[in-house]
Amino acid sequence: MPQFQQNKWKTLDKDLSRLVVLEQATVFLSRPLIAVGIGLAFIALCAIAAAILTGGAPNSVIIITAAAFGAYMALNIGANDVANNMGPAVGANALTMGGALIIAAVFETAGALIAGGDVVSTISGGIVAPEAVADPQTFIWAMMAALIAASLWLNLATWFGAPVSTTHAIVGGVMGAGVVAAGFGAVDWGKMGQIAASWVISPILGGIIAAGFLAFIKSRINDVEDKLGAARLWVPVLIGIMGGTFTTYLAVKGLKKLFSVSMPMALLLGLAVGIAAVVITRPLIRRKSEGMENRKNSLKVLFSMPLVISAALLSFAHGANDVANAVGPLAAIVHAVTDHATSDKVGIPLWVMLIGAAGISFGLTLFGPKLIRMVGTEITKLNPMRAYCVALSAAITVIVASWLGLPVSSTHIAVGAVFGVGFYREWHADRKARRTGIIKGKPVPPEERSRRKLVRRVHILSIGAAWVVTVPLTALLSALIFVMLRLLT
């Protein structure tokens, strides 16, 4: 072949390789744009649905705008908050990312539609006195400002990779608009003090409970001679605790729409379900463990299915509770526009609930994987036992907090539990190293122990900072948006 033809083919090969690289880069860059495009289409669809349902009623533009921002808020809740339920299961390899997204979407939607409250507090649990914003027009713009501010902050936090509390975001939004609308005296500062205290109480309580369960599993199952024998004894008990805990959790927090029970009745119901779960699962665990090797990897298999079930139940409870963060302000605006009055509690129309349920599922599917990976893999290494401790801690801590009347955040609890598991592993590894060194007569030097860090410290600072600024930042943003809306109208 002549030399010029060889050069020609070499040049062509180089051009084709450049085209392949360009195509790959284009596909990579277009994926986020596709998700954003689908999200915008969902928001537009919700706005169109609201326009059809209002049928050109007076002030329907306000309802249509609120529906769009309600959909935007629901997308951000799905993108940010649901990671706390599915992150540990994915990090422990008990679920694939695709499986986690499907299970979470199904159970979040089911929780929102089946057990989501048909009545919500429009003033976020008494943050602002209802009589302070009795004027319907002022009330509408205050709720709109709170909704927009909370949505924007959640979007920004998700982009930064920080799991934050959606409840605190909407509370901050209501507070900021309420202060501008009715003055500082309209805000219940005692309630705000409790919420600020929960920034510390929630993660510490969640971390302590998760570490306690992990210590129990290590001492009673993981580190004993006969691991399978111990697992046959204790895994059904832990599953019973899970069953009883989630029964109580759902009865107290997630099934208000279906029936209302007192805390003592919920605890008795949980005890009955827990005992039944132990009796049912003991032969199942025994049968599943037959033929397994007496190794730690066998224990991971026994804990995987209970972990998946607990993640699904957490998603159901989350959908039942946190859908109100997306549709509560929207329902309040619809009520104020249609009835020309304000109320501290309003009913949620079905179409409003559907926006919240669908938005959470869409947000999770389109934007959720980023924070699922962060919670599940980037803070500390999880396996099914550790992730199971996180799930149990989340449910138990919420029950304890409800009993004590503390306004805790499920996000703070779950992330705190992950940190608690990681720090317990550090402490346990350090103690083991010390003991090994003493036995061998070679103490472990401090510089060697400093390398045994099993928790990424950088996330403590970034996540903690995001938690602290959530309420004040959304309050400031909401206040500015409220002023702008009032000036425009």
Side-chain angles (χ1 to χ4, degrees):
M1 182 181 293
Q3 184 66 34
F4 78 93
Q5 287 186 339
Q6 290 181 0
N7 293 335
K8 178 181 177 182
W9 287 116
K10 287 181 180 179
T11 304
L12 181 60
D13 288 342
K14 289 180 181 179
D15 290 341
L16 288 174
S17 65
R18 291 193 188 100
L19 285 173
V20 170
V21 172
L22 181 61
E23 288 175 355
Q24 291 174 343
T26 304
V27 170
F28 178 78
L29 292 173
S30 66
R31 285 175 184 171
L33 295 178
I34 291 172
V36 171
I38 295 174
L40 291 173
F42 172 74
I43 293 172
L45 185 64
C46 291
I48 293 170
I52 294 172
L53 291 169
T54 54
N59 293 324
S60 60
V61 174
I62 295 175
I63 295 178
I64 295 169
T65 305
F69 281 109
Y72 178 47
M73 178 69 172
L75 287 172
N76 284 296
I77 290 175
N80 193 290
D81 224 21
V82 183
N84 310 309
N85 304 329
M86 287 297 160
V90 173
N93 294 320
L95 278 173
T96 63
M97 181 64 74
L101 293 175
I102 292 171
I103 290 174
V106 170
F107 281 86
E108 288 279 342
T109 303
L113 296 180
I114 295 173
D118 54 354
V119 175
V120 294
S121 170
T122 61
I123 314 296
S124 294
I127 298 301
V128 176
E131 62 274 9
V133 284
D135 175 53
Q137 198 68 20
T138 302
F139 180 82
I140 288 170
W141 297 129
M143 289 297 104
M144 188 79 78
L147 191 58
I148 297 172
S151 302
L152 291 174
W153 167 239
L154 285 177
N155 200 161
L156 185 63
T158 303
W159 185 71
F160 277 119
V164 296
S165 170
T166 56
T167 303
H168 288 183
I170 201 69
V171 164
V174 171
M175 183 188 75
V179 167
V180 177
F184 285 92
V187 177
D188 185 345
W189 295 106
K191 192 78 169 181
M192 292 305 304
Q194 290 181 338
I195 291 173
S198 76
W199 298 337
V200 178
I201 295 171
S202 298
I204 290 178
L205 195 57
I208 290 173
I209 293 175
F213 273 110
L214 184 58
F216 177 85
I217 290 173
K218 275 185 169 295
S219 63
R220 298 294 182 179
I221 305 175
N222 208 48
D223 295 339
V224 300
E225 188 74 22
D226 184 9
K227 293 176 173 54
L228 289 179
R232 294 185 188 110
L233 173 64
W234 290 113
V235 171
V237 174
L238 290 169
I239 293 175
I241 294 173
M242 180 194 75
T245 298
F246 276 107
T247 299
T248 304
Y249 179 87
L250 291 172
V252 172
K253 300 292 289 183
L255 298 177
K256 296 176 182 178
K257 184 177 178 180
L258 302 180
F259 58 87
S260 179
V261 296
S262 62
M263 178 62 77
M265 182 61 69
L267 290 172
L268 287 174
L269 189 61
L271 179 62
V273 171
I275 294 173
V278 173
V279 173
I280 293 170
T281 57
R282 192 173 293 281
L284 298 177
I285 293 297
R286 180 174 295 277
R287 192 179 306 120
K288 189 175 182 64
S289 63
E290 289 178 356
M292 287 184 173
E293 296 182 13
N294 189 39
R295 300 171 57 197
K296 292 180 181 179
N297 284 338
S298 300
L299 301 179
K300 295 177 182 179
V301 175
L302 296 178
F303 274 94
S304 292
M305 186 51 66
L307 173 59
V308 172
I309 295 172
S310 66
L313 290 173
L314 274 175
S315 291
F316 183 91
H318 180 270
N321 284 290
D322 280 34
V323 68
N325 290 327
V327 302
L330 172 57
I333 292 171
V334 172
H335 172 78
V337 171
T338 55
D339 293 358
H340 306 288
T342 64
S343 174
D344 60 339
K345 290 186 182 292
V346 298
I348 304 179
L350 178 60
W351 68 271
V352 172
M353 186 65 79
L354 286 171
I355 286 177
I360 289 175
S361 297
F362 269 105
L364 166 69
T365 306
L366 295 173
F367 309 107
K370 179 178 181 179
L371 279 183
I372 287 177
R373 291 190 190 95
M374 200 284 292
V375 173
T377 62
E378 295 183 15
I379 296 175
T380 191
K381 186 177 180 180
L382 295 175
N383 61 23
M385 287 86 81
R386 298 166 195 156
Y388 189 77
C389 294
V390 172
L392 267 180
S393 173
I396 291 174
T397 305
V398 169
I399 292 172
V400 172
S402 298
W403 181 55
L404 296 175
L406 298 174
V408 294
S409 163
S410 59
T411 300
H412 293 190
I413 293 168
V415 175
V418 174
F419 277 111
V421 163
F423 283 122
Y424 174 80
R425 291 178 61 221
E426 278 192 11
W427 173 83
H428 188 269
D430 184 68
R431 187 181 68 163
K432 186 176 180 180
R434 286 172 182 269
R435 287 182 175 179
T436 303
I438 291 171
I439 292 172
K440 294 181 177 179
K442 297 178 180 180
V444 180
E447 61 271 14
E448 174 65 22
R449 294 202 305 270
S450 68
R451 288 198 289 268
R452 302 175 187 271
K453 301 301 183 186
L454 302 177
V455 178
R456 292 184 178 175
R457 266 60 175 174
V458 66
H459 291 307
I460 300 175
L461 182 62
S462 60
I463 294 174
W467 287 355
V468 170
V469 303
T470 291
V471 171
L473 191 147
T474 52
L476 178 61
L477 189 58
S478 178
L480 293 173
I481 293 172
F482 177 79
V483 171
M484 291 174 60
L485 290 173
R486 294 295 289 177
L487 290 174
L488 291 173
T489 57

